[in-house]
Amino acid sequence: MMLDWQGAWTSVIHHPLFGIGITLGAYQLVLAAFEKTRWVFLQPVLMSMVLLIVVLVGCGIDYAEYRKSTEILSILLGPATVALAVPLYLNLRRIRQLFWPIFTTLVIAGVFATGSAVVLGWTFGAEHMILMTMAPKSVTSPIAMLVAEQIGGVAAMAAVFVLITGVLGAILGPSILTRLGVHSPEARGMALGLAAHAVGTSVALQESEETGAFAALAMSLMGVATAVLLPLVVSMTV
């Protein structure tokens, strides 16, 4: 009996678990390469995304089918985010000790991260819609997309700016901080969390638990502050 190889291959790539398998496989493969080489451009989030796109295009799988097969991963994002509370709790005493430095850093960095994007876009002649889309670039995608819609931006484009910001921050952030002589885990964590949100937090967790805790704190506070204050500021000034 002849085996229908084409039919078997079609069954494999359209199996409900295929999307999850290639997603986890791509990430683990790139992560292993990154840990072995420590080459900054092998940043796991960026390169696993590129590898995943190549596989999907090569297999002829459209985004709708891929998204449906990986719904469970999207659901798990919630518990994964909540799990960031664990390192926060373990470092709660240190966080309390540094309350005012943390608050000051949040205010200055939050204003700079948002303002610099808007000013840079305005300098190059970007339209109002683009400026409002770029403004929430330093928070996680769900918050950025919601805020962008509220202030007159485009949610889908906001997600792209968030991704670019996170990947660049994760690639360049640690080396820049090291060159500047910033070795404190608290300072490094705050910088990565504020500038590169979830992607930066994942990098911070690789450095140490304490660095990851402060990155998670910074990411959370930045998200809340942006969601509450940015629409208010825009409504008062525009």
Side-chain angles (χ1 to χ4, degrees), residues 133-213:
T133 303
M134 293 176 63
K137 66 175 179 56
S138 293
V139 296
T140 54
S141 293
I143 297 176
M145 294 171 70
L146 179 62
V147 172
E149 284 189 338
Q150 290 179 342
I151 62 178
V154 179
M157 289 181 63
V160 174
F161 286 128
V162 168
L163 177 62
I164 294 172
T165 301
V167 170
L168 288 178
I171 291 175
L172 302 176
S175 59
I176 291 176
L177 291 172
T178 300
R179 286 179 179 273
L180 292 175
V182 180
H183 301 291
S184 164
E186 298 91 344
R188 292 178 70 90
M190 288 293 294
L192 290 170
L194 287 169
H197 46 81
V199 185
T201 301
S202 68
V203 173
L205 284 167
Q206 293 175 8
E207 292 192 3
S208 72
E209 184 180 271
E210 188 175 4
T211 306

Side-chain angles (χ1 to χ4, degrees), residues 2-34:
M2 295 292 293
L3 182 62
D4 184 4
W5 290 104
Q6 184 174 358
W9 173 247
T10 302
S11 298
V12 169
I13 64 175
H14 293 292
H15 191 279
L17 295 178
F18 183 73
I20 296 177
I22 60 174
T23 301
L24 298 179
Y27 183 80
Q28 289 299 323
L29 180 63
V30 176
L31 180 61
F34 174 75

Side-chain angles (χ1 to χ4, degrees), residues 3-98:
L3 182 62
D4 184 4
W5 290 104
Q6 184 174 358
W9 173 247
T10 302
S11 298
V12 169
I13 64 175
H14 293 292
H15 191 279
L17 295 178
F18 183 73
I20 296 177
I22 60 174
T23 301
L24 298 179
Y27 183 80
Q28 289 299 323
L29 180 63
V30 176
L31 180 61
F34 174 75
E35 290 180 343
K36 185 175 182 178
T37 63
R38 286 295 167 181
W39 191 36
V40 293
F41 292 103
L42 278 178
Q43 208 286 324
V45 173
L46 173 64
M47 294 311 299
S48 60
M49 179 180 66
V50 173
L51 180 58
L52 189 58
I53 291 173
V54 171
V55 173
L56 292 176
V57 172
C59 293
I61 301 174
D62 58 33
Y63 176 71
E65 182 180 354
Y66 168 74
R67 182 176 182 180
K68 184 177 180 180
S69 68
T70 55
E71 283 181 348
I72 184 63
L73 296 180
S74 299
I75 294 173
L76 290 174
L77 282 175
T81 303
V82 174
L84 291 173
V86 174
L88 279 175
Y89 175 76
L90 295 176
N91 292 274
L92 188 58
R93 178 179 297 180
R94 184 61 175 156
I95 291 172
R96 286 175 176 172
Q97 293 174 347
L98 296 173

